[in-house]
Each structure stands twice: as structure tokens, then as C-alpha cells.
């Protein structure tokens, strides 16, 4: 990726305030009824769209309504349920292993601590952070493909990994990270898209460091 100018402190603050003003109370687009369902949905959403996950999960949750049911599930049957999701082979294995460790180590209750969540199979820091952000409003950042792209276009990060980008955004924004995470996901998904970003109608054009933004300014 070409070198992009860094946003100044003043610009970072303006970007933050504009995101908060445009996305004051955004939440995930994943459908879930409880922590168990949220965790599964977030695990399935890696490299897969929320829309696709929402199509898969109703039947999955009906077949396996709690960690005990999923811990005892037949692998091939779980694969069948999630076969339209990317990486379904690995995801099916991880879902069962996750449920088994919840049953064995946490008495069948999904732990609501980031440090404990990441001990579960298939749950990395990003998944744990997204769950904590959504379920508890924790002051945490999580970087998916949308957040990563938006952060780079706005000069908020020059990191080459998602975890470094998460660190940089957390340091720069400091507060309201959960809201900013959701804002950047939605902004990236629907406006600052990978191909054909909607720069003409963008509320951040004057702060954008990317070529797309420069082009829009003429
Ligand atoms: S101006 Fe375009 S590239 Fe820049 S942040 Fe807005 S939509 Fe994204």
C-alpha cells in the first residue's frame, strides 16, 4: 500500500467527533438473542458477511440451543448447517471445541471477560473484542477488513497488521472505542467501500488522505 500521510492530532479528534455524530448508537448487524449466540455469530462472521451468517444461524441455534448441545454435536451435522459459510470445515471444528471448553472450564456459561474468551478454541483477540464491544459496550477496538481500510485511508494507521492497527486506533481515539468500532465497520461496509468508495457524499472527504478522497475533492 502506498505511503499515506498521517492524520494530525486535531484531525484525529475531528474524525472521532464526526464518526460519533454520524453513528451515535450503532450496533452489530448480526442477529442474536444471548451471549452464546453472539459468540457463535461473531466466530462465523470471520471472512463471511453478516447477512450470510444471519441466514445460517436460526437453524443452527435451534439444533444446538446451548453450549452443552453444541459440545456433544456431530461434526458432520454442524458442517452441514454452516456449509454456505467460508471456511466451514474449520469453523465447525472450532464451534464444537469452543463449546466443549465452555462446558469443561466454565460450567457451561460463556465467560464475559476478554482474557477468558481468548482461551476458547477459535476465539482470537478480534472475536473476543467484538463480543465484549457488542455485549458490554467495553472500551475496546476490533479491526476487521473495513476498519483496517478506513483507518488507512484516513491516515489513522500505517500498520501492516490488524493487531497493530487496533493498538494504534486505541491509542489515538482513547475513549468511545466501541462506538468508533461500530461506526468504522458500517462506514467501511456501506460508504468507504474497497472498490468505488462513495467519496462524493462522504462527510470525511476534507480529512481523507487516500487517492480516492483526493479525486473527490477535484
Ligand atoms: S473520501 Fe472516499 S476514500 Fe476517503 S474516507 Fe471518504 S469514502 Fe473513504
Amino acid at each position: 500500500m502506498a505511503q499515506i500521510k498521517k492524520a494530525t492530532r486535531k484531525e484525529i479528534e475531528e474524525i472521532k467527533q464526526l464518526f460519533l455524530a454520524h453513528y451515535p448508537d450503532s450496533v452489530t448487524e448480526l442477529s442474536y438473542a444471548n451471549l452464546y449466540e453472539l459468540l457463535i455469530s461473531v466466530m462465523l462472521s470471520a471472512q463471511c458477511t453478516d447477512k450470510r451468517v444471519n441466514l445460517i444461524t436460526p437453524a443452527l441455534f435451534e439444533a444446538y440451543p446451548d453450549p452443552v448441545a453444541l459440545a456433544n454435536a456431530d461434526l458432520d451435522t454442524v458442517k452441514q448447517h454452516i456449509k454456505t459459510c467460508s471456511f466451514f470445515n474449520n469453523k465447525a471444528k472450532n464451534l464444537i471445541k469452543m463449546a466443549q471448553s465452555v462446558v469443561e472450564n466454565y460450567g457451561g456459561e460463556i465467560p464475559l471477560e476478554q482474557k477468558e474468551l481468548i482461551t476458547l478454541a477459535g476465539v482470537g483477540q478480534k472475536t473476543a473484542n467484538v463480543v465484549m464491544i457488542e455485549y458490554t459496550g467495553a472500551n475496546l477496538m476490533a479491526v476487521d477488513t473495513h476498519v483496517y481500510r478506513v483507518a488507512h485511508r484516513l491516515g489513522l494507521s500505517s500498520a501492516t497488521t490488524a493487531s497493530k492497527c487496533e493498538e494504534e486506533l486505541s491509542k489515538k481515539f482513547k475513549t468511545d472505542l466501541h462506538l468508533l468500532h461500530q461506526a468504522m465497520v458500517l462506514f467501511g461496509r456501506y460508504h468507504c467501500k474497497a472498490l468505488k468508495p462513495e467519496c462524493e457524499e462522504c462527510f470525511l472527504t476534507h480529512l481523507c488522505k487516500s487517492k480516492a478522497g483526493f479525486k473527490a475533492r477535484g
Side-chain angles (χ1 to χ4, degrees):
M1 192 177 283
Q3 196 67 35
I4 275 184
K5 260 177 87 183
K6 279 186 186 172
T8 63
R9 253 199 212 172
K10 199 168 158 252
E11 287 173 332
I12 293 166
E13 190 52 34
E14 191 179 345
I15 291 168
K16 179 176 174 177
Q17 295 312 326
L18 283 169
F19 271 135
L20 293 175
H22 282 80
Y23 299 89
D25 43 25
S26 318
V27 290
T28 181
E29 294 186 306
L30 292 167
S31 307
Y32 68 94
N34 53 47
L35 182 56
Y36 165 72
E37 292 186 2
L38 174 63
L39 176 57
I40 290 177
S41 297
V42 176
M43 288 173 76
L44 289 175
S45 72
Q47 316 283 332
C48 188
T49 64
D50 288 2
K51 268 188 196 155
R52 163 74 39 210
V53 173
N54 289 339
L55 288 175
I56 292 171
T57 47
L60 184 71
F61 296 152
E62 202 182 332
Y64 310 106
D66 54 44
V68 174
L70 188 56
N72 292 298
D74 170 64
L75 177 60
D76 286 333
T77 314
V78 175
K79 281 185 191 174
Q80 271 302 110
H81 274 289
I82 67 167
K83 68 180 180 202
T84 57
C85 192
S86 49
F87 305 107
F88 70 94
N89 279 314
N90 268 341
K91 285 178 181 173
K93 280 183 208 155
N94 280 334
L95 288 182
I96 295 175
K97 279 197 214 154
M98 175 278 286
Q100 288 170 344
S101 49
V102 168
V103 172
E104 280 162 28
N105 305 324
Y106 298 101
E109 296 286 328
I110 310 286
L112 199 47
E113 285 290 334
Q114 189 214 33
K115 280 186 187 138
E116 291 177 339
L117 279 170
I118 56 173
T119 66
L120 304 175
V123 181
Q125 182 161 321
K126 191 192 107 195
T127 299
N129 283 11
V130 172
V131 169
M132 296 299 294
I133 287 167
E134 179 60 31
Y135 208 76
T136 70
N139 188 40
L140 291 168
M141 177 53 68
V143 173
D144 69 355
T145 179
H146 303 298
V147 176
Y148 187 87
R149 180 175 64 255
V150 169
H152 282 75
R153 285 179 171 172
L154 290 171
L156 296 169
S157 172
S158 54
T160 52
T161 63
S163 60
K164 190 81 186 115
C165 182
E166 178 196 310
E167 213 178 282
E168 289 185 0
L169 290 176
S170 305
K171 262 193 206 152
K172 286 178 181 168
F173 286 144
K174 293 187 180 61
T175 58
D176 295 314
L177 297 180
H178 60 303
L179 292 173
L180 292 161
H181 160 78
Q182 304 285 21
M184 290 173 83
V185 169
L186 294 176
F187 178 66
R189 186 176 290 160
Y190 297 112
H191 301 288
C192 189
K193 295 176 274 194
L195 302 174
K196 298 194 188 156
E198 295 171 358
C199 305
E200 306 287 342
E201 296 101 50
C202 177
F203 59 89
L204 292 165
T205 310
H206 62 298
L207 296 158
C208 183
K209 310 288 185 212
S210 86
K211 278 191 186 151
F214 291 142
K215 214 168 140 194
R217 281 181 294 226

